[in-house]
Amino acid sequence: MTLRWSVFGVGWWGYFAWGSSSCLWVVFVDQLFGIVGCVTGVEEIVSSARSVLDLRARADAAEVSFLASLDSGASSDSLERRSLAEALAPELRLSPQGVLDRIHTALALTYRMPRLLQAMREGQVDRYCAERVLNVVAPISDSDALEVDRLLEEKLSRLSLTAWQPRNMAWHASQIVKQVDPDAESAAARTAHEGRKVTLDHGVYAQSRLSADLPSDVASAAYARVDAMARKLRLNDSSRNLDQLRANVFADLLLGNDPGVQVPQSAAMVYLHMPIDTALSMSETGASIDGIGPVPAPYAREIMTNPKSVWRKVLCDPATGNPVDLGRSSYRPNSTIRKLVQVRDRMCVVPWCRRPARHCDFDHQQEWSKDGGSTSTDNAAPRCRRHHRLKNAPGWIHSYDPLHGTSSITTPLGVTYDAKREPVLDPRSSNPDKPADSTSDYDPPPF
């Protein structure tokens, strides 16, 4: 094996040869060293940030092409591939297993998601984002993966810039996977559930990490309870921040100690949305959990039929899929308004925020005290505490249309990001013979 590098002021190139195969690739980066220089103007900051992403994505793509070029068709656990990984580990500053994982990623991108790989070569997607999408398409066949790759490229070309963020792109890919192979998601969920576990990783400075792989609804409910307890303790304890309080509450609950605070059962609630036809097993689509995203219909029905689950009727406009009313058996009108806004918007309305609406502030679009804005669904939006405080900060311009679900955020850098709310239910087509398009232009809840 030969490996030669040359570095110049405006570009870099490498030549690799392994056995009989070789790969020559050239990547030119304008103002390579200027990217990390001192930038002061707003336009320079935005341009430099985009240049950094472009450089990282192209470098990741170059590594993918290099590793894929070394593949001889050997199985993933063959001696030949493991030997290659061992030889490359010190050069790539990775463990041998890390090299094997990257080889697997390179082959998956090359043969299953070539359009996604092309987006990397064009500087639009880095390896981390690509791996998020690959995880979504892992359960489906190669031919179905190629179809998802094609549909994802088409859909992203119609959406706003925030759709290219890793969680958003993975969400779009999961929606397309459900369309291409509805059964794959359920099979993958069953396999993942069988792999639930608790792991302990000892770190440095006498700190360790305890983590658990759990069903999403259980993990979300557990975190919500810990968070609610920490926030209640925070009211009378300013010596510890929320992260520290959550860690202490988590340990106390596991060890059977009294955390010193109690919260109602509703504090550990998760919101599952499911169309009535899916609940009745007449359909296998449309189920989702706030803050998580789509879930397989069998998994959703299992949650629904749990004796501790509480059902709540949500009446939706069939033309738009947006909620218009809730059952009022036990809620006061002001509470109903708050709940309806939470169900309608699902998440903080800032395009890149994924905070569930039930953990957000009820924000008046027209301020109640200053502008005389009404406390109604037409003047309300959920904003997490951080973005609620940022709403009126210098340089930030926030706009949200509760009726149509469109958000527009302009940052102090002068860049505007737009997003559109996902409907609770897929809108019905005006043509009864034409099914609703599950790959519509709706942006996902902001992830």
Side-chain angles (χ1 to χ4, degrees):
M1 175 184 182
T2 59
L3 173 62
R4 299 187 179 90
W5 288 94
S6 290
V7 181
F8 305 99
V10 296
W12 51 279
W13 64 269
Y15 175 78
F16 303 92
W18 184 278
S20 59
S21 64
S22 63
C23 174
L24 176 64
W25 45 268
V26 181
V27 181
F28 285 100
V29 182
D30 292 335
Q31 298 178 338
L32 177 61
F33 302 108
I35 291 177
V36 296
C38 180
V39 291
T40 55
V42 169
E43 291 184 1
E44 290 180 350
I45 293 175
V46 174
S47 176
S48 295
R50 291 174 178 173
S51 296
V52 168
L53 170 62
D54 181 90
L55 173 60
R56 185 173 69 243
R58 291 176 187 271
D60 288 343
E63 182 186 88
V64 166
S65 298
F66 163 56
L67 293 175
S69 73
L70 303 180
D71 180 60
S72 62
S75 62
S76 58
D77 59 347
S78 67
L79 177 61
E80 180 182 353
R81 183 172 293 181
R82 284 188 281 113
S83 176
L84 171 63
E86 290 284 348
L88 287 177
E91 297 295 338
L92 295 178
R93 312 304 194 261
L94 295 169
S95 67
Q97 184 58 50
V99 176
L100 284 173
D101 291 341
R102 293 204 180 182
I103 291 175
H104 177 75
T105 296
L107 295 176
L109 284 167
T110 301
Y111 299 111
R112 288 168 58 87
M113 304 287 287
R115 296 169 190 256
L116 183 60
L117 175 56
Q118 182 59 33
M120 294 177 66
R121 291 174 176 145
E122 293 172 357
Q124 298 176 318
V125 177
D126 64 8
R127 183 179 60 248
Y128 172 73
C129 184
E131 287 175 342
R132 292 289 298 265
V133 175
L134 288 177
N135 288 337
V136 173
V137 302
I140 63 179
S141 66
D142 289 349
S143 59
D144 285 341
L146 289 169
E147 178 65 7
V148 171
D149 189 39
R150 182 186 68 82
L151 293 174
L152 181 62
E153 180 188 47
E154 291 180 0
K155 188 171 187 180
L156 290 174
S157 68
R158 304 191 300 266
L159 298 180
S160 63
L161 186 63
T162 57
W164 290 78
Q165 290 178 284
R167 281 189 171 180
N168 284 358
M169 191 178 293
W171 186 91
H172 284 298
S174 69
Q175 293 294 96
I176 298 172
V177 167
K178 289 171 64 176
Q179 172 195 359
V180 173
D181 186 355
D183 297 329
E185 189 180 32
S186 297
R190 285 193 295 269
T191 301
H193 183 65
E194 292 172 357
R196 60 193 183 279
K197 62 182 182 294
V198 175
T199 56
L200 176 62
D201 180 22
H202 293 296
V204 297
Y205 308 121
Q207 289 291 109
S208 300
R209 173 171 294 177
L210 180 66
S211 60
D213 291 339
L214 298 168
S216 295
D217 61 309
V218 176
S220 296
Y223 179 84
R225 185 168 186 240
V226 169
D227 180 66
M229 287 183 167
R231 290 180 182 278
K232 193 170 182 179
L233 286 171
R234 178 69 169 163
L235 298 175
N236 300 312
D237 185 353
S238 60
S239 63
R240 294 176 290 177
N241 61 36
L242 274 175
D243 284 334
Q244 294 168 338
L245 287 166
R246 291 189 193 103
N248 292 146
V249 169
F250 176 72
D252 285 338
L253 292 174
L254 283 178
L255 295 173
N257 300 330
D258 181 8
V261 67
Q262 295 293 327
V263 293
Q265 186 177 3
S266 61
M269 184 180 296
V270 295
Y271 284 17
L272 168 71
H273 298 268
M274 182 164 50
I276 185 63
D277 55 351
T278 303
L280 297 175
S281 299
M282 298 168 61
S283 173
E284 297 297 311
T285 61
S288 64
I289 295 178
D290 280 0
I292 298 171
V295 295
Y299 178 61
R301 286 191 288 266
E302 185 175 328
I303 297 174
M304 181 192 72
T305 54
N306 187 304
K308 295 183 180 180
S309 293
V310 178
W311 296 12
R312 184 74 185 270
K313 179 177 65 177
V314 180
L315 302 179
C316 295
D317 183 339
T320 64
N322 291 324
V324 295
D325 198 8
L326 298 175
R328 291 184 172 82
S329 58
S330 61
Y331 288 86
R332 300 184 303 274
N334 59 341
S335 178
T336 298
I337 291 174
R338 183 181 295 273
K339 292 293 183 182
L340 184 57
V341 169
Q342 291 174 357
V343 171
R344 180 193 67 191
D345 292 303
R346 316 283 288 279
M347 316 253 178
C348 172
V349 295
V350 173
W352 53 84
C353 185
R354 198 169 181 253
R355 185 75 172 169
R358 65 183 183 277
H359 296 318
C360 292
D361 293 341
F362 183 94
D363 181 33
H364 292 76
Q365 294 302 101
Q366 293 185 347
E367 294 186 28
W368 182 80
S369 58
K370 180 180 178 181
D371 303 322
S374 63
T375 303
S376 65
T377 57
D378 293 339
N379 189 45
R383 280 192 172 85
C384 69
R385 183 60 54 86
R386 182 174 70 236
H387 288 126
H388 194 177
R389 290 172 175 169
L390 201 62
K391 177 183 175 183
N392 296 318
W396 288 87
I397 302 175
H398 289 236
S399 175
Y400 181 63
D401 180 353
L403 180 62
H404 299 96
T406 53
S407 295
S408 177
I409 309 292
T410 301
T411 72
L413 298 178
V415 181
T416 299
Y417 302 96
D418 300 313
K420 188 174 179 65
R421 179 180 67 219
E422 177 209 7
V424 173
L425 296 179
D426 289 334
R428 293 182 182 175
S429 172
S430 57
N431 182 354
D433 296 326
K434 180 181 180 181
D437 182 7
S438 61
T439 61
S440 64
D441 289 358
Y442 283 112
D443 273 6
F447 289 1

